Structure formats: C-alpha cells, structure tokens
Amino acid sequence: MDIFKSNIKRRSARVVRIGKLYIGGKYPIAIQSMTKTITKNIDQTIEQIQRLTRAGAEIVRVAVNDHKDAQALSEIKRQIDIPLVADIHFDWTLAIEAIEAGVDKIRLNPGNIFRKAEIREICAAAKLAGIPIRVGLNSGSIGKTKNRGYALVQKAKEYLKIIEGFGFRNLVVSVKAENIFETVAAYQQIAEICDYPLHLGVTATGTYQKGLAKSYVAMGILLFQGIGDTLRISLTEQPEKEIEAARALLEAMGLRRFSPQIISCPTCGRSRVPLIKMVKRLEQQLKEQKLSKNALSSTVAMMGCVVNGPGEASCADIGLAFGKTQGLLFKKGKPLYKVLAKDAVFSLIRELTRL
Ligand code: SF4
C-alpha cells in the first residue's frame, strides 16, 4: 500500500539528455550535487564523486576555475559513472575546453559570461558535442535590486533570447535566490514563460538545519506545483548530506521512492523500548538490503506503545506495536506474532522480504 504516492501533476518540460540521463517530460526528478574539492586534484575529485554516486547522486557538477581544472575533466569523466557537468564562470574559453574534454553539460552564469560573441562560440561547441547548457542564474548574477525574483527572470529571459537567437535550445534553466520567497516567485514565473527543464535550488542556504529548512520550504512549494526536473540542495556540509536531503524531500512528496517508508512515533514517557535506536538501525539496514519493487513501495511502522501503536502498525504493510518488552507484528493489517525488542529489526526486514 503506497500511501506516499503523489498525485502532483508535473509541468511538461521538454526532454533534455545529460549523458546517459534524461530530465524533463515524465522522467524522474534527478538528484544532483557539486563536488567541494579543487577539481584539478583529480584523485580527490574522483573519490568524492564516487562517494556521491554511492549516496545516490545522479548528476555531478565540478567547478572549472582555470585551464588545469579543464584539463582534468577528461580523466575525471573516464573514471566516473554519472553525468559530469562543468561549472563555468568568467572565462568562456573554459567552457570550450570543458566541452572538448567530453563533459555532459555545462553551466553558464549570465552574470559573468555575457558577451554575445562568446556565448555564440560556446553554443556552437555545445551543439557540435550534442550537450545541453544550463543557464544558471543566482542572486549574485543580478546585483543589487529591490525585486530580485523579477530581476532573475528578466535576466534569464534576455539570456535565453540570445541563445535561442543562435538556434540553440538544448537548455536547462535555474533562477536561484538565497531568499525563499524570491526563489519561489522566480521559478513560478520562469516555469510559465518557457518549456525548458528547470533545475531547482536555493542558493547559499547556510548550514545544515537552516539550509535544509529553506530548501525544503522553497522546493516543496515548487514541487507541489509540479515545477522542477532536477534539483540540488545546497548545504554548507559534506556533499553526501545534500543527496540524502534531496532523496528525503522527493520521497516525502511521493515523487521518487528509494526505500520503504518508515512510520515511527517520536516516543514519549509511555514507551518502554529503545525505539529511537531501533528505528535508526532499521533505516540503516533497509538502505543496505536489496529489496523487491513490492518491498520498496511498502510502508513499515514501528510504534512505541499501545496508544497509537496498533492503529498505525495495522495500517502499514508491516508494522510493530510495542507493549512493555514485546511488540505485536502486523502484516497487511493482520496480527501475526509477538516479537522481542531485540529481534524487532530482524523480524520486520524478514517479513518485508516476503512481501
Ligand atoms: S505511540 Fe505511544 S510511545 Fe509513541 S509517542 Fe505515541 S504515546 Fe508515545
């Protein structure tokens, strides 16, 4: 029973290919992040990308600051399994080098690469290579102005017009502000006026909890309205945290499914079992298990006492409601057998694999 399935109607964006991955249309909302290494430190960059890939990243972006970074791209690309995006600022020749190195997409910042002749050269090279360009605006791209949401969209429109003037439409767009209201307004407007896939993000969000709150609010509103084809949750944190956060958001909104949904109570003075520890263990073990499609789309409940426990546990596909030391295990609403707290995680997973 997939109670987390969403009925969000997604905006119909044109489909864009980024390496082996597609975004837009009905393709799943892709999760991406950016490395925090100096790109020319090839081993460190590859190691971080591999960590990100294991965490579930589907696209990775690296900063290309100079020619040495650009020269490192082909080797990085050779050793990774997910599409590689080059993040280019100021120097248009780095975009050309990155494209020649075989990256799968480039990101341009209209705030610092704006000369028509340079944009034309980049578009010609991207067209030849068959790769898309992300027109990636953030509040830093527009300088000081009162209505930054509006200004972001105006700047994006101007830039898109220039690129379209060169016959190039293989585009992705982002309009990130660091303020959630401006971010939401900008994406809502850009979603109305073009059909390019949108890369969602809030820029410079800050440390983990605060960044998470801003990102979830802004992206939650947009995703709920069907806006967004790929996203990055920017956090002043280790990059895997961004992936974990993005997955949790998409799962909560019923837009993607990566593991069974866990329903657990916050525990209180009525619980007599170490529920927090047990739920964390269950979550970790579920991540490590190879599960069937059925199991992946199921819900697993772990509840601390008899107040809400039996109700929640019997509504889930597999559920455990604890009494003093033992829990009653439910499967598809039917009570099956009693389980000791120490065997709880094992029993839930065993029943899940039998679904
Ligand atoms: S289910 Fe029981 S233990 Fe959990 S929060 Fe509710 S009352 Fe407390």
Side-chain angles (χ1 to χ4, degrees), residues 175-323:
V175 279
K176 305 180 184 180
E178 80 278 348
N179 168 310
I180 61 169
F181 303 100
E182 290 167 347
T183 302
V184 169
Y187 275 102
Q188 286 171 332
Q189 288 171 46
I190 203 80
E192 284 288 317
I193 58 175
C194 73
D195 69 346
Y196 298 120
L198 299 180
H199 162 131
L200 297 188
V202 183
T203 193
T205 57
T207 51
Y208 190 64
Q209 291 296 348
K210 294 191 175 168
L212 213 52
K214 280 188 190 176
S215 302
Y216 280 0
V217 172
M219 292 193 216
I221 292 169
L222 292 165
L223 291 168
F224 193 76
Q225 294 173 345
I227 298 171
D229 303 283
T230 174
L231 61 85
R232 182 205 176 184
I233 295 188
S234 309
L235 297 169
T236 312
E237 247 299 348
Q238 290 306 307
E240 291 99 324
K241 290 277 183 196
E242 297 188 356
I243 305 302
E244 209 178 89
R247 282 185 158 211
L249 172 62
L250 292 174
E251 282 197 319
M253 300 199 69
L255 288 161
R256 300 277 306 262
R257 186 46 88 81
F258 304 101
S259 62
Q261 290 295 314
I262 298 177
I263 295 167
S264 59
C265 75
T267 88
C268 71
R270 291 192 182 89
S271 175
R272 294 288 176 267
V273 292
L275 196 82
I276 298 176
K277 247 196 222 163
M278 288 156 66
V279 173
K280 281 189 178 160
R281 203 180 327 133
L282 173 67
E283 188 174 60
Q284 187 52 39
Q285 293 197 13
L286 285 178
K287 269 189 203 161
E288 292 160 9
Q289 289 278 327
K290 268 232 168 304
L291 294 169
S292 67
K293 229 179 158 189
N294 247 353
L296 274 176
S297 64
S298 63
T299 52
V300 185
M302 219 190 213
M303 301 292 291
C305 83
V306 291
V307 173
N308 294 317
E312 291 288 355
S314 59
C315 284
D317 293 297
I318 311 284
L320 244 179
F322 281 98

Side-chain angles (χ1 to χ4, degrees), residues 19-39:
K20 61 182 179 182
L21 190 100
Y22 290 84
I23 62 166
K26 288 198 169 26
Y27 285 98
I29 297 167
I31 294 174
Q32 55 177 296
S33 182
M34 190 168 177
T35 52
K36 300 174 193 244
T37 55
I38 309 273
T39 302

Side-chain angles (χ1 to χ4, degrees), residues 39-50:
T39 302
K40 60 179 95 42
N41 292 344
I42 296 180
D43 291 346
Q44 284 175 17
T45 303
I46 290 170
E47 198 263 335
Q48 194 166 91
I49 295 174
Q50 284 164 347

